[in-house]
Amino acid sequence: MASDWYCYVVESEWMPADLAGAARYTIVLHNRSAAPLSGFRLGMSGPALVVAEGPHQGCSVVTKLSNYCEIAPEAGFVLAPGASWTASLTLAFPARHWTDGAFTAMLITSDGQAQAVLTKPATNAGATTPPKRGVIRHPVAEPGVAPYAVIPWPNDVAAKGNRTAPSGLTLSAGEAEGQAAAAGFADLVGHLFPGEALVRSAEEGGYPVALAVDASLGAEAYAISFAAGSASVRANGRTGLLYGLITLGQMLRGARLYPQSFTFPTGGSISDAPGMEWRGCHFDVARQFYASGEVAQFLRTMAWNKLNRLHWHLSDDESWRVEIDAYPELTSKAAWRGHGMSIPPLLGSGPERSGGFYSKAVVRELVALAGSLGIEVVPEIDVPGHCYALIQTVSTLRDQGENGQYFSIQFFDNNSLNPALDRVYEVVETIFAELIELFPSPWFHVGADEVPHDAWDSSPQAQGLMSRVGGSEARNLQAYFLQKVQAFLTQKGKITGAWEEASEGGGIDKANCYLVGWRNVEANQRLAGEGYDVVVSPAQRYYLDMANGPDWFEPGAAWAGWSSLEMTYAFVPDAGWNAAERAHFKGVQGAIWSEPMTERAVFDRLVYPRLSAIAETGWTRPESKSWARFVGSVALMPALYGMRE
């Protein structure tokens, strides 16, 4: 096999049904080498879900798991030098965006060896605009739209006067809390804006800012007073002081980088406090792995947006991402995927061993960093569904008497922990106990989403349990499982978090949990009406894997539609709720599901600046919001990778 990866090139095209009959997804392999190719298979990895049984043309599906499949031409086929092989495949769902297609392809020879080949982004027969990557550019506001560039906008701005922007801030604090906030702010801006020297000494022209603790203010509130040549920040503690400094830093950057659009005050004040208790973002590191440095930088972008909850999605069908002493095989096996491994290349992975996990030492470092930024880290281990990687690795979790097969919506087979097995609870409680030692936050999220409706139908033990607990559906067994898991977490002093499905089949204890409503906007109000504390995160507006628009050239998913920045910003999470329902409204949360984020530039385009729109909804009173002001300042907000279109 040739060593040059561009000797073999894979192209793919989606043909919508309305253009030429039946919809089809066409794969073309070009042999640009000098040798004929025979006895091969083509492995493909990407968000696209191929239907194993077809119908297909020009190929057969040899193996398939979720979004990974291998196809082969008919027996005896030889691909001559300079020639191409074409196959048409049936997909489970229509392709809507360029990231839906195969992202990585590999040639697999008859001896089982695999080699990555050049794989071009999928095209659409009716679209010609090149694929978009990087954060969408938004122009800075014209003069007069807003005096200061601050996101989220403070709730009481009474600043006045104008001056040229300070060159940097010189911070002084007497109390330990103030000193910690000053050090945290210096570290924060040093990582987010290296080279800008936003914190500098008085000798280098810094603008004096005094920090002081004021116990009369709320936990996250702050107050800034401006004078002609200095400012002071007061807050209850470290987090409030940090938020005040972030507001000052944003004002300084706006006035310094765009002096014709923004200014800096010489008097007056800003008094500010968050509108919502829960201002968060879910971060899926299971589908795509993000190194500890990337997670740390994401925490910093959250802090700059005054977000205070990281919902850290650490496990799923595709992988396991955190060290567990009792089960070292979870990180030696389930954290990795590749050709010939128990978990094959998925979601853009190549044939090489790829992935990773977070050691306990790294988790402690990240949790400590988050705490210094005012962020609580909520771990999620998704059970009883989305457990393919866990079950493949800890084989004793299988019901040996189960003789059937069921599939999740992502086409993983038999991926749900069996509620009838005592061994399941032993494993889950052992894992959770280790993680509780790592995460001091009061919340522990257990997933509980997307369990297949026919899960455990062929398990004699599960069906025996069903007859004892009552009901006739998988969700009845799931409720039994979740109630036992919640009882364990409650005994450990934790509040159980879960996705909205935890309310089904009998539900879990409402007094010691919160649920995240995700399937549609209405679900959140329904859950609150049932008495559950609710974090609002509907896929139609707050799932940041959904594309920014309907066009093919936009990356992202489409199963819940799409949401532009303005649509995300305008969404009112508790619209139409009554007083009793609002009593259960905890706040809002964005959700980063990383399936389509096969490129880091795609991550930036999907997450930013929509994350800032969610942050402003969580912080700023509705009557203080302004789309014109927000969109005119959003270009100043940081992105994880700093990639712009």
Side-chain angles (χ1 to χ4, degrees):
M1 182 176 289
S3 60
D4 293 330
W5 70 296
Y6 51 81
C7 286
Y8 306 102
V9 179
V10 169
E11 295 180 301
S12 63
E13 180 184 66
W14 170 252
M15 177 71 76
D18 58 349
L19 291 183
R24 64 179 186 273
Y25 181 60
T26 301
I27 298 285
V28 181
L29 171 64
H30 303 283
N31 182 3
R32 295 180 177 173
S33 75
L37 188 63
S38 62
F40 66 90
R41 306 192 305 277
L42 184 67
M44 297 178 295
S45 174
L49 288 167
V50 174
V51 178
E53 57 273 18
H56 309 305
Q57 296 178 2
C59 71
S60 60
V61 174
V62 178
T63 187
K64 177 185 178 298
L65 177 68
S66 187
N67 51 75
Y68 175 75
C69 76
E70 295 174 10
I71 61 175
E74 61 183 16
F77 176 81
V78 177
L79 184 59
S84 300
W85 168 54
T86 300
S88 291
L89 301 170
T90 298
L91 300 184
F93 307 102
R96 302 294 187 191
H97 303 282
W98 69 268
T99 47
D100 285 338
F103 188 81
T104 302
M106 61 206 75
L107 270 179
I108 305 167
T109 53
S110 56
D111 61 359
Q113 298 299 306
Q115 173 191 319
V117 299
L118 175 59
T119 310
K120 296 185 177 182
T123 61
N124 184 303
T128 58
T129 304
K132 296 293 186 180
R133 300 170 170 90
V135 177
I136 299 172
R137 295 183 182 272
H138 293 278
V140 174
E142 294 294 323
V145 173
Y148 317 116
V150 182
I151 295 175
W153 187 251
N155 281 304
D156 186 2
V157 180
K160 58 186 179 181
N162 303 284
R163 58 157 289 171
T164 54
S167 55
L169 306 178
T170 299
L171 310 180
S172 62
E175 298 108 331
E177 290 287 273
Q179 294 169 8
F185 179 75
D187 180 76
L188 178 64
V189 296
H191 282 89
L192 291 180
F193 311 108
E196 291 192 24
L198 294 182
V199 175
R200 59 179 66 190
S201 67
E203 293 80 7
E204 295 181 347
Y207 173 83
V209 178
L211 307 179
V213 173
D214 184 343
S216 68
L217 296 174
E220 295 180 299
Y222 66 90
I224 306 174
S225 297
F226 295 95
S230 65
S232 64
V233 179
R234 294 179 294 110
N236 181 286
R238 176 175 180 170
T239 298
L241 290 170
L242 178 64
Y243 286 164
L245 289 174
I246 288 170
T247 294
L248 276 176
Q250 291 184 1
M251 295 170 73
L252 184 153
R253 292 190 76 242
R256 192 167 75 177
L257 297 176
Y258 297 96
Q260 283 74 44
S261 296
F262 305 110
T263 188
F264 198 87
T266 58
S269 63
I270 292 176
S271 298
D272 200 12
M276 298 181 191
E277 166 199 351
W278 191 288
R279 310 179 309 281
C281 191
H282 159 281
F283 190 11
D284 166 22
V285 298
R287 274 55 178 270
Q288 309 290 348
F289 181 67
Y290 298 86
S292 58
E294 294 173 296
V295 178
Q297 193 72 346
F298 181 68
L299 287 167
R300 296 182 183 106
T301 68
M302 286 182 63
W304 198 251
N305 286 274
K306 300 187 177 78
L307 294 167
N308 66 353
R309 302 284 188 270
L310 175 70
H311 174 165
W312 202 7
H313 189 83
L314 291 164
S315 74
D316 218 295
D317 292 312
E318 293 86 351
S319 64
W320 185 275
R321 296 301 190 201
V322 61
E323 180 181 24
I324 301 296
D325 293 336
Y327 302 104
E329 63 269 31
L330 286 173
T331 46
S332 66
K333 295 181 181 178
W336 310 93
R337 52 195 187 226
H339 176 66
M341 301 177 66
S342 59
I343 303 177
L346 294 167
L347 296 168
S349 299
E352 308 83 6
R353 180 178 183 263
S354 65
F357 66 93
Y358 308 102
S359 70
K360 288 189 172 182
V362 163
V363 169
R364 291 187 183 98
E365 291 172 1
L366 290 170
V367 169
L369 173 64
S372 74
L373 297 171
I375 299 170
E376 294 265 18
V377 181
V378 183
E380 180 190 353
I381 299 298
D382 202 347
V383 292
H386 287 279
C387 285
Y388 183 85
L390 174 60
I391 294 170
Q392 290 297 307
T393 305
V394 183
S395 59
T396 56
L397 292 173
R398 297 190 184 95
D399 178 0
Q400 300 304 317
E402 190 168 4
N403 57 13
Q405 192 175 41
Y406 60 86
F407 290 91
S408 72
I409 194 171
Q410 291 87 9
F411 284 77
F412 285 96
D413 62 300
N414 298 41
N415 75 332
S416 300
L417 299 176
N418 193 323
L421 303 182
D422 291 340
R423 173 65 173 160
V424 164
Y425 299 98
E426 295 173 11
V427 172
V428 169
E429 291 178 7
T430 298
I431 290 171
F432 282 15
E434 287 197 30
L435 292 176
I436 286 169
E437 297 299 315
L438 296 177
F439 295 94
S441 79
W443 307 281
F444 195 107
H445 202 284
V446 300
D449 62 315
E450 296 185 325
V451 170
H453 69 89
D454 56 346
W456 317 304
D457 279 0
S458 63
S459 165
Q461 293 191 61
Q463 292 308 302
L465 176 62
M466 183 84 78
S467 66
R468 296 193 297 274
V469 303
S472 59
E473 300 176 317
R475 60 183 179 176
N476 300 118
L477 290 180
Q478 168 165 292
Y480 173 86
F481 170 86
L482 292 174
Q483 290 162 10
K484 293 192 68 170
V485 171
Q486 183 187 28
F488 171 80
L489 290 172
T490 299
Q491 188 221 351
K492 294 291 186 179
K494 296 293 183 180
I495 298 168
T496 300
W499 301 104
E500 65 182 73
E501 290 95 322
S503 68
E504 299 171 359
I508 60 176
D509 181 11
K510 299 170 185 175
N512 198 44
C513 78
Y514 77 92
L515 301 184
V516 182
W518 68 275
R519 287 185 286 196
N520 52 55
V521 172
E522 296 75 20
N524 294 278
Q525 185 175 7
R526 174 182 56 79
L527 292 168
E530 293 173 4
Y532 288 99
D533 286 348
V534 177
V535 172
V536 175
S537 186
Q540 293 74 17
R541 289 295 175 266
Y542 282 179
Y543 268 34
L544 299 178
D545 55 321
M546 295 300 124
N548 283 280
D551 299 304
W552 177 266
F553 59 72
E554 287 290 355
W559 62 263
W562 57 273
S563 187
S564 67
L565 176 63
E566 185 171 7
M567 292 161 67
T568 300
Y569 185 81
F571 175 66
V572 179
D574 59 344
W577 293 30
N578 61 37
E581 292 162 346
R582 286 196 175 95
H584 292 287
F585 176 46
K586 291 180 68 67
V588 295
Q589 176 173 290
I592 298 172
W593 295 103
S594 60
E595 290 102 317
M597 299 175 184
T598 47
E599 294 182 9
R600 292 320 200 222
V602 169
F603 183 102
D604 272 4
R605 189 173 189 86
L606 292 174
V607 175
Y608 306 104
R610 290 188 295 184
L611 185 68
S612 296
I614 298 169
E616 181 145 308
T617 295
W619 183 281
T620 307
R621 289 192 302 261
E623 64 270 21
S624 297
K625 291 180 66 176
S626 163
W627 167 249
R629 176 203 47 74
F630 172 84
V631 78
S633 301
V634 80
L636 287 154
M637 299 301 283
L640 181 55
Y641 303 103
M643 296 178 180
R644 310 244 171 209
E645 68 175 1

